[in-house]
């Protein structure tokens, strides 16, 4: 299939496909004359890339996808995923702490009726 067909099948633009190719994420793309020709392997690779981007990865971090078909490449992708999950867990903990602080502040402010002096909130750590 040509680049326009791959774009239609995967839901991305030909420009994005050329960018993925420039980053080496599609491997060597077969050509017939001046036209790129893609196969089912390329469809799967583009789906991996798009899913990774949707999950917050940056294109530059996806270098391990180049060799995902090899044991070492698959291990590198797994490490990449685990690192991202760890970062998300840290962010979730930070957001939970912020939510708890906001709830405590809201409860404190709810006791202020205009006649009582509200105490200043504790500084954030």
């Amino acid at each position: 299939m040509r680049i326009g067909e791959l774009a239609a099948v995967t839901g991305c633009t030909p420009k994005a496909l050329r960018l993925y190719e420039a980053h080496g994420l599609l491997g060597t793309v077969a050509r017939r004359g001046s036209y790129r020709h893609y196969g089912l392997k390329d469809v799967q690779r583009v789906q991996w890339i798009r899913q990774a981007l949707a999950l917050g990865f940056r294109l530059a971090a996806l270098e391990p996808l180049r060799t995902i078909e090899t044991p070492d490449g698959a291990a590198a992708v797994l490490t990449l995923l685990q690192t991202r999950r760890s970062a998300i867990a840290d962010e979730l903990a930070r957001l939970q702490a912020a939510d708890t602080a906001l709830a405590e502040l809201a409860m404190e402010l709810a006791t202020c009726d205009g006649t009582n002096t509200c105490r200043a909130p504790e500084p954030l750590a």
Side-chain angles (χ1 to χ4, degrees):
M1 74 183 82
R2 289 191 178 167
I3 196 166
E5 295 167 309
L6 180 61
V9 167
T10 59
C12 65
T13 65
K15 183 177 179 178
L17 294 172
R18 289 184 197 98
L19 180 64
Y20 303 161
E21 182 181 354
H23 278 270
L25 298 175
L26 295 181
T28 303
V29 176
R31 292 185 182 263
R32 291 192 190 129
S34 62
Y35 295 101
R36 293 171 175 89
H37 282 270
Y38 301 92
L40 294 177
K41 177 183 166 189
D42 298 306
V43 171
Q44 184 180 29
R45 182 66 60 96
V46 171
Q47 289 170 336
W48 270 97
I49 294 166
R50 290 184 49 87
Q51 184 175 23
L53 293 173
L55 291 171
F57 287 95
R58 298 204 180 260
L59 201 55
L62 299 181
E63 188 271 330
L65 281 177
R66 293 179 186 180
T67 57
I68 194 170
E69 289 88 8
T70 67
D72 288 343
V77 171
L78 183 59
T79 299
L80 183 69
L81 295 176
Q82 290 169 336
T83 301
R84 180 71 179 141
R85 290 191 69 208
S86 178
I88 288 171
D90 292 346
E91 181 68 5
L92 284 171
R94 187 191 68 75
L95 290 171
Q96 184 61 49
D99 183 56
T100 299
L102 288 169
E104 290 170 359
L105 184 58
M107 286 177 43
E108 181 75 28
L109 290 174
T111 65
C112 299
D113 60 6
T115 60
N116 296 332
T117 303
C118 296
R119 68 177 180 86
E122 297 294 324
L124 295 175

